[in-house]
Amino acid sequence: VDTSRNGSYVVAGGHILNTATQQSFSGSDAALILIDDRGPALFHSEDDCRFWATDLSGDEPAPLATFDLPVERCVPAIARFSPDLTQLLLVLFGSNISGSALYTVDLATGTSEQLATFQHTCVTLDHGASNDEAAVLTAALPGAAWIARYEWASANLTTTSIDTGALAANEDKAPPPPRTPIVSPDGRWVAWSDTDAVGTGF
């Protein structure tokens, strides 16, 4: 369950309630992925890899886009709308993806492009920042913090992996992943913790 930034809507799954009029709007069976601060919401079908973008900034929900991604079944990990609401950046896991994949979607046409794949299978990419210049995504890997920066205007993608200094208990075990990498609102810094240690970098 989530609410729109203006407090006009309450969303649970694919069901949307207007808090002022008590009018409810129901799509098909879908899971809410995010509500952007500016009003757009993104939903995902629980049966396939179909998505809906809906604008919740007005008196009634307004469709923005419907699109499918070329994956048999998928689990969305994180999504970001571009500042002008013309693009969507989406990271997902899927049954025919080795690891995870990063897509960009043109919301006007519903067409998608796979930007990159990452060999991270059991990683939750659930933290990131987005501003007028770029979207920044992070993931916790064994002994490293992974960061991707996608520049909206140039469509340039850069990725890096920072050694977090985590040490394995013994040589037979892989170093643990850092705890909860988070990105500053301006996208310039990422911070994480390794058990008793705290580190920053970008």
Side-chain angles (χ1 to χ4, degrees), residues 21 35 50 92 96 100 141 144 147 151 181 186:
T21 65
I35 299 180
R50 171 161 290 196
L92 56 83
N96 56 342
S100 57
L141 307 179
I147 303 144
E151 297 179 5
D186 61 6

Side-chain angles (χ1 to χ4, degrees), residues 94-160:
S95 58
N96 56 342
I97 298 175
S98 176
S100 57
L102 179 63
Y103 288 88
T104 182
V105 180
D106 184 325
L107 293 176
T109 63
T111 57
S112 63
E113 178 184 356
Q114 182 175 299
L115 297 178
T117 57
F118 313 107
Q119 302 303 313
H120 315 323
T121 52
C122 297
V123 174
T124 302
L125 298 163
D126 59 354
H127 292 280
S130 184
N131 54 42
D132 289 346
E133 295 180 1
V136 183
L137 312 176
T138 67
L141 307 179
W146 175 86
I147 303 144
R149 178 184 175 91
Y150 178 75
E151 297 179 5
W152 297 115
S154 64
N156 183 48
L157 175 69
T158 56
T159 62
T160 186

Side-chain angles (χ1 to χ4, degrees), residues 8-187:
S8 298
Y9 296 97
V10 174
V11 182
H15 302 279
I16 305 170
L17 174 70
N18 187 309
T19 58
T21 65
Q22 299 299 305
Q23 184 177 5
S24 62
F25 306 87
S26 179
S28 58
D29 292 335
L32 174 69
I33 300 176
L34 85 155
I35 299 180
D36 189 280
D37 286 348
R38 296 156 295 176
L42 183 65
F43 299 89
H44 167 238
S45 169
E46 297 181 344
D47 297 325
D48 51 31
C49 210
R50 171 161 290 196
F51 295 83
W52 297 267
T54 303
D55 186 2
L56 299 181
S57 63
D59 294 334
E60 292 188 3
L64 287 177
T66 301
F67 59 91
D68 295 271
L69 292 180
V71 180
E72 294 170 6
R73 293 185 63 84
C74 63
V75 178
I78 191 171
R80 291 287 182 269
F81 287 98
S82 65
D84 59 5
L85 303 181
T86 62
Q87 298 180 68
L88 179 72
L89 195 66
L90 182 63
V91 179
L92 56 83
F93 308 115
S95 58
N96 56 342
I97 298 175
S98 176
S100 57
L102 179 63
Y103 288 88
T104 182
V105 180
D106 184 325
L107 293 176
T109 63
T111 57
S112 63
E113 178 184 356
Q114 182 175 299
L115 297 178
T117 57
F118 313 107
Q119 302 303 313
H120 315 323
T121 52
C122 297
V123 174
T124 302
L125 298 163
D126 59 354
H127 292 280
S130 184
N131 54 42
D132 289 346
E133 295 180 1
V136 183
L137 312 176
T138 67
L141 307 179
W146 175 86
I147 303 144
R149 178 184 175 91
Y150 178 75
E151 297 179 5
W152 297 115
S154 64
N156 183 48
L157 175 69
T158 56
T159 62
T160 186
S161 182
I162 299 174
D163 184 355
T164 61
L167 300 177
N170 58 62
E171 294 182 357
D172 297 331
K173 293 184 179 180
R179 296 180 184 175
T180 318
I182 57 174
V183 181
S184 64
D186 61 6

